[in-house]
Amino acid sequence: MEALLSLIVILPFLSATILGLSYLVDSKKNLSNTYYATIALTTPAIVTLLSFVLVFKMSTMPHDTPLYAHLFDWVKVGQLHIEMRFMLDRLSMIMIGFITFIGTLIHIYAVEYMQSDEGFGKFFAYFNFFLGSMLLLVVASNPIIMFIGWELVGLASYLLIGFYHKVSSNITAANKAFIVNRVGDFGFIVALGVLFIALEGQGFSFEAIEQGIGGLSHSTLSFVGALLFVGAMGKSAQIPLYVWLPDAMAGPTPVSALIHAATMVTAGVYMVARFGFLYNEIPHIGEFIAYIGAFSALIAALMASFERDIKKILAYSTMSQLGYMFIAVGLGAYGAGIFHLFTHAFFKALLFMGAGAVIIALHHEQDIFKMGNLRKVLPQTFIAMLIATLAITSIPPFAGFFSKEAIINHAFLSGHYTLWIIAMTTAFLTAYYMFRLIFVVFFAHSTKTYPHLIPLGKMIIYPLIVLAIGSATVGFLGIEHGFAHFVALPDRATPAPTHLLEYGLMGLNILVALGGIALAYRLFGTNPEPPKANIPIKALFIHKFYVDALYNRLFVDTLRSLSIFFDRVVDGAVIDGILGLLTGGYKDLGAKLASFQNGTVKTYATYVILSVSLMSLALIYLLEAQ
Amino acid sequence: MIWDLYLVMPLALVFIGALFLMLFSLVKQVELTNYNLVTVAFLSVSLIIELIIFQNVEHDYLFETIFAKMFIVDKLSTLFNILFLSGAILTLLINNNYFKSRDYYNGEFFALLLFSIFGMMMLAHTNELITAFISIELASITLYVLVGYNHHSPKSSEAMLKYIILGSLAGVFFILGVALVYGVVGSTYLGDIYSYLIHHQNSDISLLVVGMMFMMVTLLFKIGAAPFHSWVVDVYIGSPFPVTMFMATTLKIAIFSILLRLFLVDFAPIYPLILEIIKVVAIATLLLGSLLAIAQTQLKGMLAASSIVHVGYMLMALYAIGVGSSFAASAIIFYLISYFLSALGAFGILSFLASDEEKRHLSFDDFKGFAHERPYMAAAMTIFMLSLAGFPSTIGFLGKFYIFMSVVETGEILLAGLGILIAFISIYYYFKLIALMYFYPSPNPKKRFPFAISTLLIVGVALMIVWGGIGTGLIPFVAGADGLLTIASEALKTIGK
């Protein structure tokens, strides 16, 4: 069992290495795509199999006996003892289960999506590398190893966003994602440092931390908790560190589906849930997290409502759904948060893959207002997208309904009515902008025809079907809180609702979603109009609240002028000047000294004798002083 | 008795190998490569036995009934022997091309080299001062011959003469020191000196101190510390590449083996009396070495001068031993290993290039655009330079780090600061080479990587340097840099029992 667990992490890295080396060595492009695809697909398939085996074996065990696999000691210096050790508990079981499963489907999809790309081998090397890093992140048994996984997925994301590296704006987007994430990672690593010092060497695995934090002061824990969340903000695209996510859509669509929707961006939520025992000590920080999540959800929904790029709409909706998850984990409903993370992975991956199918079919067209009537030409894609959209707008019995309802109800029942209102508003907007997408892309302009449509292959369609089935059904796992009980996270208790209240809330949720759909139909059902910035408030939404411009002005420009100042004045004039004087002098001295090395033995012997004499004199002096 | 035979095997093998090669060299038809391989074979068997001994040995005397306590075998001596042997093997294999490209090498060269190693190994085992002297001289005299081995070159002969004269002059002080020590203690066994010092704490020991200092003079001369460093640059430049490489790496380690043995245990009670002198010597070595290194135009000269600087760092740690650092001795051994690898690689590349192109003097200017001509060799050279400069992620960085830490541990912040400053200056002459290699266009077209023992070993050494610098087992289950440090401190524990 331990070996299986280790293999799950090691195999993807191994195959990434093989793929990468093959790609590097094969500079003449002799290797076929089939070669790369075989390796790239076999690994996730095996890993999925292994993880299913583990999940089935482990789910019968009691939840408080996780499986550990110790690989080796990584660092052992003083109190700093870091093991490369993996941990499989209920939480990481869920994570590896869906990461490997959805990851495999997206790998299959990507084989066809990327088939005509020159960097086919490179793409899959990165993709497998990402898979390994993500698995490392979720099975890490201590925060340091988790942080390594965290950084590696960031690297993979950077590499894949900038995959089409011949367009310079893609490189800018990749850099943006990387740099914004650095801000978050800084918070994460500082939090870990503070925690490590505060624990005074009681060990730094998750279970040791859980035992050790009882002795820490409330303020230390709050500090650590807040900073950890800064890391989550960066990775999971929450206010104010969300700006990179829409730009990250510059990467190939399978990347957006796997990394920027289903897996990597949820790492922040996972991390907060993993540290659930810590956040239970500091509920006020949890509330702060919930509010950040709620506002992110709302703002993202507003921006999505005015977006025209199909992938960016989905990106904003990802950010919005992540907001929901943070509401849940912030309020201590870790089970509900992870459940939404789980269902979201299915329907959001499906949405992206559907969008990718549309984009491919239409020769890389991404503006939804240039589409329409696709229902008739891409029927399978349409049905898949529709199921996913019903899931995300939480229409029963699709997956999103169960998970989102659990979150919204938790906000209401725990007495956070402001959060509840924001969440409901967002749910309305979600239904609106998602069906706006469906109507505009698949229904509107019912006479439009597409003479140059590219046909879609099986490897694109089949994963869509599998995910559609998943999106329609996985929600049932959450009935009667079954999922939350299974993951067995330290949820904070809420008062149990009466039946009447429960049905009332459920009905309200459905009504709100239907309202959003109706509005979308009224505005975009038949003859959609692209959004125009005719009134100031709309302009504000269309320009995304000018946040990018603000950040540019505030941080980028300031830093740039500061570095220009340092370059020209401080470094160029002051430091170089002083150094020039110093080194010049030292070099002259060296040249003078070398002239004493005149090469005659007589002189050298004299040096020796003189030195011995001097040393003897010094010795006499030293012995006298004794 | 059987155990003793087993312990003496490595020494005996090297000695027999030397005699064998001496006779073998009379046969004229043998190719040079075969001599080299035979030598390497003897050394390798010896190395393997030493590795086994290292696991099992604690504290033994070789043939105690015959030699009394003259030769000691402990983990420290074994560790040093392992270093000499691997140093010699690497030197021989890396220079394989070079030997073939010059007509003045023959079988006797290898015999002499083995004698020199035999001397060094004896030195590591020695527990008696006269034996120590004989071992040092045995190692040196053979080296005198090797330095002048290129009999076509007047420079080589001149270097040999300089080395003989100055070396003998310095050697005199050792025997004088031994005489003085004998006069006081009445014995030349190291253990006796120690017990004398312990039992006569109130009597006058000035003579013993003077004797110790004279012995120190010789040892300082042999490692090329200031103010006895004048010969280093001239001799290093004058001698053939393999010999320079051997002197810079292996001989230095040998002298440190006796330095550590003397000053960690036997002279430890009176060592503090001359600490001030050691401190001044360390500072002078650092300063003069780095000044000399800056002024060099030939790469061989730069490496020679910079080897003086590296000695300076180790003297800093030697000083720290006297002040009471618990850590300094292992730091020295670690530094020796790190310097040994880096210098070996750097000299190896020079000798490889010299074997390739007859006329090159290998000045800095010859390396302009080298990276475009031979990218892999340039990358390896960059790693060696980074390691010598003490750049993080190389073993050289950890070596310097441990040295500075041990000095800081004793509270000598200023001395550590000086060391760091000198390391900073050394960036100038090491990175100059990197800049020249990469930032200039190459006059010659790109060449293929030549697959040969020499080049493959050079790449291997470069990889070892990086591996040794990344800390602990990035490669799982293989001991990393801290493993080396553990081995060093383990070895140190066995002495002084």
Side-chain angles (χ1 to χ4, degrees), chain A residues 41-160:
Chain A
L41 289 187
T42 317
T43 314
I46 296 174
V47 170
T48 310
L49 216 65
L50 291 179
S51 72
F52 280 6
V53 168
L54 276 178
V55 168
F56 283 121
K57 276 199 172 167
M58 286 294 294
S59 49
T60 52
M61 312 262 257
H63 69 79
D64 49 358
T65 51
L67 174 74
Y68 290 104
H70 175 92
L71 268 191
F72 56 92
D73 284 334
W74 189 47
V75 182
K76 210 171 177 181
V77 181
Q79 296 179 341
L80 186 66
H81 180 201
I82 297 168
E83 298 170 280
M84 185 55 92
R85 192 176 67 147
F86 303 143
M87 172 175 77
L88 192 72
D89 60 357
R90 292 286 175 86
L91 177 57
S92 38
M93 242 155 75
I94 297 293
M95 296 300 286
I96 62 166
F98 86 79
I99 289 169
T100 51
F101 179 66
I102 295 182
T104 310
L105 290 177
I106 299 181
H107 270 79
I108 296 171
Y109 174 89
V111 169
E112 184 163 336
Y113 192 92
M114 302 300 294
Q115 63 184 345
S116 53
D117 198 282
E118 272 184 21
F120 191 82
K122 184 169 70 173
F123 178 84
F124 280 100
Y126 291 164
F127 228 35
N128 275 355
F129 171 71
F130 168 77
L131 197 66
S133 314
M134 190 69 207
L135 290 167
L136 180 69
L137 194 166
V138 296
V139 298
S141 79
N142 71 54
I144 303 285
I145 302 298
M146 183 177 175
F147 186 73
I148 292 174
W150 185 275
E151 290 298 305
L152 290 183
V153 290
L155 171 66
S157 154
Y158 165 79
L159 291 171
L160 286 164

Side-chain angles (χ1 to χ4, degrees), chain B residues 184-185 191-200 203-205 208:
Chain B
V184 179
V185 182
D192 294 345
I193 299 169
Y194 183 70
S195 49
Y196 178 86
L197 282 170
I198 295 297
H199 293 116
H200 297 76
S203 45
D204 186 12
I205 40 151
L208 198 53

Side-chain angles (χ1 to χ4, degrees), chain A residues 72 112 138 140 181 196 207 255 298 347 368 449 488:
Chain A
F72 56 92
E112 184 163 336
V138 296
N181 267 300
F196 180 77
E207 62 271 31
V255 173
L298 182 65
F347 57 69
I368 54 170
T449 52

Side-chain angles (χ1 to χ4, degrees), chain A residues 355-412:
Chain A
V358 171
I359 292 169
I360 276 272
L362 299 185
H363 301 268
H364 290 272
E365 177 58 65
Q366 302 201 9
D367 186 346
I368 54 170
F369 288 99
K370 294 187 180 153
M371 304 172 186
N373 202 25
L374 282 172
R375 169 175 47 124
K376 292 184 186 124
V377 279
L378 300 170
Q380 297 112 321
T381 314
F382 163 66
I383 292 169
M385 286 279 276
L386 186 65
I387 291 174
T389 307
L390 288 170
I392 197 174
T393 45
S394 65
I395 300 294
F398 297 99
F401 169 73
F402 298 93
S403 54
K404 204 194 272 182
E405 195 213 7
I407 293 174
I408 295 177
N409 289 0
H410 185 90
F412 184 85

Side-chain angles (χ1 to χ4, degrees), chain A residues 386-445:
Chain A
L386 186 65
I387 291 174
T389 307
L390 288 170
I392 197 174
T393 45
S394 65
I395 300 294
F398 297 99
F401 169 73
F402 298 93
S403 54
K404 204 194 272 182
E405 195 213 7
I407 293 174
I408 295 177
N409 289 0
H410 185 90
F412 184 85
L413 294 171
S414 60
H416 294 90
Y417 299 112
T418 325
L419 286 178
W420 179 71
I421 292 169
I422 298 175
M424 290 299 278
T425 318
T426 310
F428 174 77
L429 285 171
T430 308
Y432 165 72
Y433 70 74
M434 281 315 297
F435 271 90
R436 166 176 169 263
L437 189 156
I438 291 289
F439 290 135
V440 172
V441 173
F442 292 103
F443 286 87
H445 304 296

